[in-house]
Amino acid sequence: MSDETGDAERVRDEGFDDFLDAIESGEGFYLECPEGHGSLPPRRVCPHCGATDLREASLPETGDVETFTTVHVAAPEFVDDAPYVTAVADFGGIRLTGIVRGIDTDDVTVGTEVAPDVGETETADERVLILRAP
Ligand SMILES: [Zn+2]
């Protein structure tokens, strides 16, 4: 059994939790480099071009589902949540991956408008990014 993450797994992830906090308070943001590449915190370097001059850009209120997957057999930490839909939504400068809630799983399609939110998994009460009906 690999135990690479071990105790570190439950430790607050400063950058990403700050990001979730910001979304929760309606002030979502992402990081943008001078070339306009979007990335999610925590980052010091643009993952696309290596630029180190990252600034916070405000996250649009809604995005469009780009791809999605219905999960019927979930990993242990999501087992009570299944079936659920995970989607990648395009918010202009940034793509966000989250669990779709508030939209019938059969109604999620490419182009469905979603708004970012923060929720907890049914299984482990872990905070996760939610994409819900705007
Ligand atoms: Zn870049």
Side-chain angles (χ1 to χ4, degrees):
M1 291 285 283
S2 166
D3 193 25
E4 283 176 347
T5 48
D7 294 338
E9 218 165 36
R10 301 290 295 198
V11 172
R12 180 179 165 91
D13 179 339
E14 286 299 336
F16 193 66
D17 273 324
D18 287 348
F19 170 73
L20 292 179
D21 287 346
I23 285 182
E24 223 166 14
S25 58
E27 294 166 357
F29 68 92
Y30 63 95
L31 301 177
E32 187 178 60
C33 82
E35 300 295 322
H37 302 134
S39 58
L40 293 182
R43 287 204 180 267
R44 294 180 189 285
V45 177
C46 174
H48 304 283
C49 69
T52 54
D53 182 17
L54 304 184
R55 67 178 190 91
E56 290 185 7
S58 63
L59 186 68
E61 286 178 13
T62 60
D64 298 323
V65 170
E66 209 171 63
T67 63
F68 63 96
T69 309
T70 304
V71 179
H72 293 283
V73 180
E77 61 268 37
F78 289 104
V79 73
D80 292 342
D81 295 85
Y84 62 92
V85 176
T86 62
V88 178
D90 182 0
F91 284 81
I94 186 76
R95 289 184 176 82
L96 297 180
T97 304
I99 295 177
V100 177
R101 288 204 183 141
I103 303 173
D104 195 281
T105 52
D106 292 334
D107 290 341
V108 179
T109 185
V110 172
T112 298
E113 196 174 46
V114 289
D117 200 356
V118 178
E120 281 163 6
T121 62
E122 300 287 335
T123 314
D125 291 338
E126 295 271 8
R127 291 213 303 168
V128 288
L129 185 72
I130 300 294
L131 297 170
R132 65 168 69 256

